[in-house]
């Protein structure tokens, strides 16, 4: 789908940026509650390193908020279908006059749908460490919304009046997905390394940080496994891995470029063959007309 306009992806990016901003505001608010606004010497956080009076199990509270976002996203999608798309279709069908033209049918915008999936994936990345069932519930939500959107697509939606440029979409979507990954990685890594785990609940209680559990778990493994895991963190493993990855990446890029040049050459050959056929057809018509003339 090619066009000169970028309005589809850009409008969708504005929407998903606002949703990611609301997620950041929520995470910042939770951070203020958990860490007493970053003041470790505050009375509420001095004993345990976090606000144990207001949030005795802060991991559970964070997971609950992610569950709420997932449920709200599902309810919003269903409500839009039932309360907006179906009524608009009914109004357009029952009122073919001016009212029907003003209301119009709902257009199916592919960029908006893809960016909505990116937002939902960001929520899963943030919450999956604190609520392991979140990816499973998100998968069930995606399946439900997929069939609902498929039904509404064929029954209530009309084709988009403005298509998006595929090459531009291939740049925007990975960029926004990478942004969502960065947004989700910061709070999760901060929680793992810097915030003390809850003292009253959770699998990491009794440790100074969540990360402190990992060395203890490794030390309980057999010596051979320990040596192998420690080897994975040395330069003897990292440097060859980086070299091999660079070679494979360079090979993949070169292969993709060669395929691109081959496809361009085949397109030029097809265009040349089409022009030759048109020319030969015109010559055949001209010759037949000349031979038929008295």
């Amino acid at each position: 789908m090619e066009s000169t306009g970028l309005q589809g992806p850009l409008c969708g990016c504005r929407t998903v940026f606002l949703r990611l901003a609301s997620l950041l505001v929520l995470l910042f608010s939770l951070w203020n509650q958990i860490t007493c606004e970053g003041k470790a010497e505050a009375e509420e956080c001095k004993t345990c390193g976090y606000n144990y009076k207001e949030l005795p199990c802060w991991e559970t509270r964070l997971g609950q908020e992610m569950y709420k976002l997932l449920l709200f996203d599902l309810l919003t999608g269903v409500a839009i279908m039932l309360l907006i798309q179906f009524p608009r279709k009914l109004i357009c069908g029952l009122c073919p006059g001016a009212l029907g033209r003003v209301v119009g049918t709902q257009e199916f915008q592919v960029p908006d749908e893809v960016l909505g999936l990116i937002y939902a994936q960001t929520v899963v990345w943030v919450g999956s460490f604190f609520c392991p069932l979140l990816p499973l519930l998100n998968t069930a939500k995606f399946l439900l919304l997929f069939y609902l959107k498929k039904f509404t697509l064929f029954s209530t939606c009309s084709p988009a009046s403005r298509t998006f440029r595929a090459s531009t979409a291939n740049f925007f979507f990975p960029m926004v997905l990478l942004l969502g990954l960065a947004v989700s990685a910061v709070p999760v890594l901060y929680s793992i390394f810097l915030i003390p785990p809850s003292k009253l609940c959770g699998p990491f209680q009794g440790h100074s940080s969540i990360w402190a559990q990992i060395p203890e778990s490794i030390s309980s493994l057999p010596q051979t496994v320990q040596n192998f895991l420690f080897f994975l963190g040395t330069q003897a493993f990292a440097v060859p891995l980086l070299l091999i990855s660079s070679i494979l990446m360079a090979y993949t890029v070169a292969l993709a470029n060669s395929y691109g040049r081959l496809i361009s050459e085949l397109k030029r050959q097809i265009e040349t063959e089409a022009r030759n056929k048109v020319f030969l057809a015109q010559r055949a018509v001209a010759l037949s007309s000349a031979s038929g003339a008295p």
Side-chain angles (χ1 to χ4, degrees):
M1 290 181 289
E2 298 289 336
S3 75
T4 59
L6 304 179
Q7 284 80 356
L10 291 179
C11 292
C13 281
R14 286 195 294 268
T15 302
V16 78
F17 285 155
L18 289 175
R19 300 177 75 178
L20 290 178
S22 65
L23 178 61
L24 286 175
V25 170
L26 173 62
L27 293 173
F28 182 75
S29 176
L30 290 173
W31 176 81
N32 281 336
Q33 297 179 32
I34 296 170
T35 64
C36 302
E37 299 181 359
K39 301 174 183 177
E41 299 300 325
E43 182 179 356
E44 296 83 359
C45 297
K46 191 173 183 180
T47 304
C48 298
Y50 65 96
N51 193 347
Y52 69 96
K53 294 182 179 180
E54 185 176 354
L55 297 172
C57 297
W58 63 267
E59 299 96 339
T60 303
R61 174 64 182 278
L62 184 55
Q64 289 174 348
E65 295 298 328
M66 296 302 107
Y67 278 128
K68 291 177 183 178
L69 288 178
L70 184 144
L71 182 60
F72 183 76
D73 192 32
L74 173 62
L75 295 178
T76 302
V78 175
I80 289 175
M81 297 177 197
L82 297 179
L83 302 179
I84 296 179
Q85 294 181 355
F86 283 108
R88 287 181 64 174
K89 182 65 175 180
L90 292 176
I91 292 174
C92 292
L94 298 177
C95 304
L99 180 60
R101 290 193 298 271
V102 170
V103 174
T105 56
Q106 177 75 25
E107 293 185 356
F108 187 82
Q109 298 289 346
V110 176
D112 293 342
E113 301 297 332
V114 175
L115 293 173
L117 296 178
I118 293 176
Y119 166 76
Q121 183 60 50
T122 303
V123 173
V124 171
W125 280 333
V126 174
S128 58
F129 181 77
F130 305 98
C131 39
L133 288 179
L134 191 64
L136 179 61
L137 295 177
N138 192 65
T139 302
K141 185 199 77 171
F142 279 161
L143 290 175
L144 177 61
L145 288 180
F146 170 77
Y147 288 105
L148 289 176
K149 288 181 181 294
K150 180 181 178 181
F151 174 74
T152 56
L153 172 63
F154 291 107
S155 60
T156 64
C157 293
S158 60
S161 59
R162 187 187 300 274
T163 58
F164 64 95
R165 182 178 296 173
S167 58
T168 305
N170 290 335
F171 167 76
F172 270 107
F173 293 156
M175 183 190 68
V176 178
L177 185 62
L178 182 61
L179 177 63
L181 179 61
V183 168
S184 62
V186 171
V188 173
L189 293 178
Y190 185 89
S191 303
I192 292 175
F193 288 100
L194 297 179
I195 301 180
S198 300
K199 306 298 182 183
L200 302 178
C201 60
F204 304 104
Q205 53 182 318
H207 297 85
S208 59
S209 66
I210 296 177
W211 176 258
Q213 176 66 30
I214 297 179
E216 293 183 9
S217 300
I218 293 178
S219 62
S220 63
L221 297 174
Q223 188 62 37
T224 305
V225 179
Q226 293 184 40
N227 295 334
F228 175 74
L229 293 177
F230 288 134
F231 170 74
L232 296 181
T234 60
Q235 295 180 354
F237 175 79
V239 173
L241 178 63
L242 180 61
L243 292 176
I244 294 174
S245 300
S246 301
I247 293 173
L248 291 177
M249 185 180 299
Y251 173 75
T252 304
V253 172
L255 190 63
N257 292 334
S258 65
Y259 284 155
R261 290 192 295 269
L262 180 59
I263 291 173
S264 299
E265 182 64 27
L266 292 176
K267 287 182 178 179
R268 286 194 295 268
Q269 291 181 5
I270 292 174
E271 293 174 356
T272 303
E273 292 293 334
R275 288 195 295 267
N276 291 338
K277 289 181 180 179
V278 172
F279 175 76
L280 292 175
Q282 292 175 349
R283 291 290 299 170
V285 172
L287 291 175
S288 61
S289 300
S291 60

mmCIF file of all heavy atoms in Angstrom, residues 6 13 19 34 42 48-49 81-82 96 123 127 132 134 137 155 197 214 233 241 271 279 288:
data_model
loop_
_atom_site.group_PDB
_atom_site.id
_atom_site.type_symbol
_atom_site.label_atom_id
_atom_site.label_comp_id
_atom_site.label_asym_id
_atom_site.label_seq_id
_atom_site.Cartn_x
_atom_site.Cartn_y
_atom_site.Cartn_z
ATOM 1 N N LEU A 6 1.554 10.483 5.207
ATOM 2 C CA LEU A 6 2.026 9.800 6.403
ATOM 3 C C LEU A 6 1.065 10.015 7.552
ATOM 4 O O LEU A 6 1.413 9.753 8.697
ATOM 5 C CB LEU A 6 3.407 10.336 6.808
ATOM 6 C CG LEU A 6 4.507 10.273 5.749
ATOM 7 C CD1 LEU A 6 5.782 10.860 6.320
ATOM 8 C CD2 LEU A 6 4.728 8.869 5.276
ATOM 9 N N CYS A 13 0.887 7.331 15.962
ATOM 10 C CA CYS A 13 2.009 7.560 16.875
ATOM 11 C C CYS A 13 1.630 8.556 17.957
ATOM 12 O O CYS A 13 2.014 8.382 19.121
ATOM 13 C CB CYS A 13 3.216 8.068 16.087
ATOM 14 S SG CYS A 13 4.125 6.764 15.229
ATOM 15 N N ARG A 19 -0.617 7.301 25.207
ATOM 16 C CA ARG A 19 -0.873 6.145 26.071
ATOM 17 C C ARG A 19 0.390 5.728 26.810
ATOM 18 O O ARG A 19 0.344 5.365 28.002
ATOM 19 C CB ARG A 19 -1.421 4.990 25.234
ATOM 20 C CG ARG A 19 -2.715 5.338 24.527
ATOM 21 C CD ARG A 19 -3.213 4.221 23.642
ATOM 22 N NE ARG A 19 -3.799 3.146 24.404
ATOM 23 C CZ ARG A 19 -4.353 2.068 23.855
ATOM 24 N NH1 ARG A 19 -4.373 1.935 22.529
ATOM 25 N NH2 ARG A 19 -4.873 1.121 24.613
ATOM 26 N N ILE A 34 6.185 4.049 46.541
ATOM 27 C CA ILE A 34 7.021 2.957 47.053
ATOM 28 C C ILE A 34 8.270 3.493 47.741
ATOM 29 O O ILE A 34 8.645 3.028 48.822
ATOM 30 C CB ILE A 34 7.398 2.003 45.901
ATOM 31 C CG1 ILE A 34 6.144 1.322 45.332
ATOM 32 C CG2 ILE A 34 8.383 0.945 46.376
ATOM 33 C CD1 ILE A 34 6.398 0.559 44.056
ATOM 34 N N ALA A 42 13.286 9.033 54.785
ATOM 35 C CA ALA A 42 11.949 9.357 55.278
ATOM 36 C C ALA A 42 11.512 8.333 56.322
ATOM 37 O O ALA A 42 11.971 7.179 56.330
ATOM 38 C CB ALA A 42 10.957 9.398 54.115
ATOM 39 N N CYS A 48 12.497 -0.302 56.196
ATOM 40 C CA CYS A 48 12.582 -1.390 55.206
ATOM 41 C C CYS A 48 13.165 -0.967 53.872
ATOM 42 O O CYS A 48 13.400 -1.814 53.010
ATOM 43 C CB CYS A 48 11.197 -1.987 54.976
ATOM 44 S SG CYS A 48 10.450 -2.728 56.451
ATOM 45 N N GLY A 49 13.370 0.326 53.662
ATOM 46 C CA GLY A 49 13.860 0.792 52.372
ATOM 47 C C GLY A 49 12.760 1.120 51.393
ATOM 48 O O GLY A 49 13.042 1.567 50.283
ATOM 49 N N MET A 81 -16.423 -0.967 19.843
ATOM 50 C CA MET A 81 -17.163 -1.746 18.837
ATOM 51 C C MET A 81 -18.664 -1.673 19.060
ATOM 52 O O MET A 81 -19.439 -1.472 18.110
ATOM 53 C CB MET A 81 -16.706 -3.202 18.881
ATOM 54 C CG MET A 81 -15.259 -3.421 18.528
ATOM 55 S SD MET A 81 -14.797 -5.163 18.708
ATOM 56 C CE MET A 81 -13.016 -5.019 18.751
ATOM 57 N N LEU A 82 -19.104 -1.830 20.312
ATOM 58 C CA LEU A 82 -20.542 -1.915 20.587
ATOM 59 C C LEU A 82 -21.220 -0.563 20.608
ATOM 60 O O LEU A 82 -22.388 -0.446 20.177
ATOM 61 C CB LEU A 82 -20.760 -2.623 21.934
ATOM 62 C CG LEU A 82 -20.294 -4.078 22.018
ATOM 63 C CD1 LEU A 82 -20.544 -4.633 23.408
ATOM 64 C CD2 LEU A 82 -20.987 -4.941 20.965
ATOM 65 N N PRO A 96 -29.919 7.183 4.954
ATOM 66 C CA PRO A 96 -29.005 7.383 3.832
ATOM 67 C C PRO A 96 -28.868 8.835 3.407
ATOM 68 O O PRO A 96 -28.103 9.132 2.493
ATOM 69 C CB PRO A 96 -29.652 6.549 2.720
ATOM 70 C CG PRO A 96 -31.109 6.528 3.062
ATOM 71 C CD PRO A 96 -31.196 6.543 4.552
ATOM 72 N N VAL A 123 2.759 -2.896 28.065
ATOM 73 C CA VAL A 123 2.172 -3.181 29.384
ATOM 74 C C VAL A 123 2.578 -4.581 29.855
ATOM 75 O O VAL A 123 2.899 -4.792 31.034
ATOM 76 C CB VAL A 123 0.640 -3.038 29.327
ATOM 77 C CG1 VAL A 123 -0.001 -3.501 30.638
ATOM 78 C CG2 VAL A 123 0.250 -1.595 29.037
ATOM 79 N N GLY A 127 4.701 -5.591 33.277
ATOM 80 C CA GLY A 127 4.070 -6.335 34.353
ATOM 81 C C GLY A 127 4.365 -7.815 34.424
ATOM 82 O O GLY A 127 4.051 -8.452 35.438
ATOM 83 N N PRO A 132 3.221 -13.150 36.543
ATOM 84 C CA PRO A 132 3.578 -14.057 35.445
ATOM 85 C C PRO A 132 2.406 -14.474 34.573
ATOM 86 O O PRO A 132 2.622 -14.901 33.433
ATOM 87 C CB PRO A 132 4.181 -15.272 36.177
ATOM 88 C CG PRO A 132 4.619 -14.747 37.511
ATOM 89 C CD PRO A 132 3.632 -13.684 37.864
ATOM 90 N N LEU A 134 0.239 -12.519 33.344
ATOM 91 C CA LEU A 134 -0.152 -11.418 32.458
ATOM 92 C C LEU A 134 0.035 -11.750 30.977
ATOM 93 O O LEU A 134 -0.849 -11.436 30.175
ATOM 94 C CB LEU A 134 0.630 -10.161 32.837
ATOM 95 C CG LEU A 134 0.164 -8.855 32.189
ATOM 96 C CD1 LEU A 134 -1.245 -8.508 32.638
ATOM 97 C CD2 LEU A 134 1.118 -7.722 32.532
ATOM 98 N N LEU A 137 -2.931 -13.957 29.921
ATOM 99 C CA LEU A 137 -4.176 -13.190 29.841
ATOM 100 C C LEU A 137 -4.157 -12.242 28.643
ATOM 101 O O LEU A 137 -5.192 -12.044 27.991
ATOM 102 C CB LEU A 137 -4.385 -12.404 31.137
ATOM 103 C CG LEU A 137 -4.597 -13.242 32.396
ATOM 104 C CD1 LEU A 137 -4.716 -12.340 33.619
ATOM 105 C CD2 LEU A 137 -5.837 -14.116 32.258
ATOM 106 N N SER A 155 -18.308 -6.273 8.735
ATOM 107 C CA SER A 155 -19.722 -5.918 8.887
ATOM 108 C C SER A 155 -19.970 -4.433 9.066
ATOM 109 O O SER A 155 -21.012 -3.933 8.626
ATOM 110 C CB SER A 155 -20.319 -6.674 10.089
ATOM 111 O OG SER A 155 -19.635 -6.328 11.282
ATOM 112 N N PRO A 197 13.082 -5.731 48.060
ATOM 113 C CA PRO A 197 11.832 -6.501 47.931
ATOM 114 C C PRO A 197 11.011 -6.428 49.211
ATOM 115 O O PRO A 197 11.497 -6.053 50.278
ATOM 116 C CB PRO A 197 12.330 -7.930 47.666
ATOM 117 C CG PRO A 197 13.700 -7.967 48.241
ATOM 118 C CD PRO A 197 14.272 -6.593 48.086
ATOM 119 N N ILE A 214 19.942 -13.915 42.735
ATOM 120 C CA ILE A 214 20.540 -14.627 41.602
ATOM 121 C C ILE A 214 21.894 -15.232 41.967
ATOM 122 O O ILE A 214 22.130 -16.423 41.707
ATOM 123 C CB ILE A 214 20.627 -13.687 40.383
ATOM 124 C CG1 ILE A 214 19.221 -13.280 39.947
ATOM 125 C CG2 ILE A 214 21.378 -14.358 39.236
ATOM 126 C CD1 ILE A 214 19.188 -12.336 38.782
ATOM 127 N N GLY A 233 29.802 -14.992 31.241
ATOM 128 C CA GLY A 233 30.009 -13.590 31.555
ATOM 129 C C GLY A 233 31.424 -13.099 31.339
ATOM 130 O O GLY A 233 31.730 -11.945 31.673
ATOM 131 N N LEU A 241 31.288 -14.116 20.513
ATOM 132 C CA LEU A 241 29.869 -13.964 20.227
ATOM 133 C C LEU A 241 29.606 -12.671 19.470
ATOM 134 O O LEU A 241 28.813 -12.645 18.512
ATOM 135 C CB LEU A 241 29.071 -13.992 21.532
ATOM 136 C CG LEU A 241 27.557 -13.805 21.393
ATOM 137 C CD1 LEU A 241 26.945 -14.941 20.583
ATOM 138 C CD2 LEU A 241 26.895 -13.716 22.767
ATOM 139 N N GLU A 271 8.875 -4.534 -16.952
ATOM 140 C CA GLU A 271 8.418 -3.308 -17.602
ATOM 141 C C GLU A 271 8.879 -3.249 -19.054
ATOM 142 O O GLU A 271 8.121 -2.829 -19.944
ATOM 143 C CB GLU A 271 8.942 -2.099 -16.828
ATOM 144 C CG GLU A 271 8.333 -1.952 -15.436
ATOM 145 C CD GLU A 271 8.980 -0.821 -14.654
ATOM 146 O OE1 GLU A 271 9.941 -0.223 -15.193
ATOM 147 O OE2 GLU A 271 8.533 -0.550 -13.527
ATOM 148 N N PHE A 279 4.455 -2.431 -28.073
ATOM 149 C CA PHE A 279 5.006 -1.992 -29.357
ATOM 150 C C PHE A 279 4.720 -3.000 -30.459
ATOM 151 O O PHE A 279 4.320 -2.627 -31.585
ATOM 152 C CB PHE A 279 6.510 -1.764 -29.205
ATOM 153 C CG PHE A 279 7.195 -1.431 -30.503
ATOM 154 C CD1 PHE A 279 7.062 -0.156 -31.064
ATOM 155 C CD2 PHE A 279 7.961 -2.384 -31.168
ATOM 156 C CE1 PHE A 279 7.699 0.144 -32.274
ATOM 157 C CE2 PHE A 279 8.593 -2.079 -32.362
ATOM 158 C CZ PHE A 279 8.466 -0.821 -32.916
ATOM 159 N N SER A 288 -1.417 -4.949 -40.269
ATOM 160 C CA SER A 288 -2.673 -5.527 -40.742
ATOM 161 C C SER A 288 -3.526 -4.473 -41.413
ATOM 162 O O SER A 288 -4.194 -4.738 -42.417
ATOM 163 C CB SER A 288 -3.438 -6.159 -39.570
ATOM 164 O OG SER A 288 -3.739 -5.181 -38.594
#
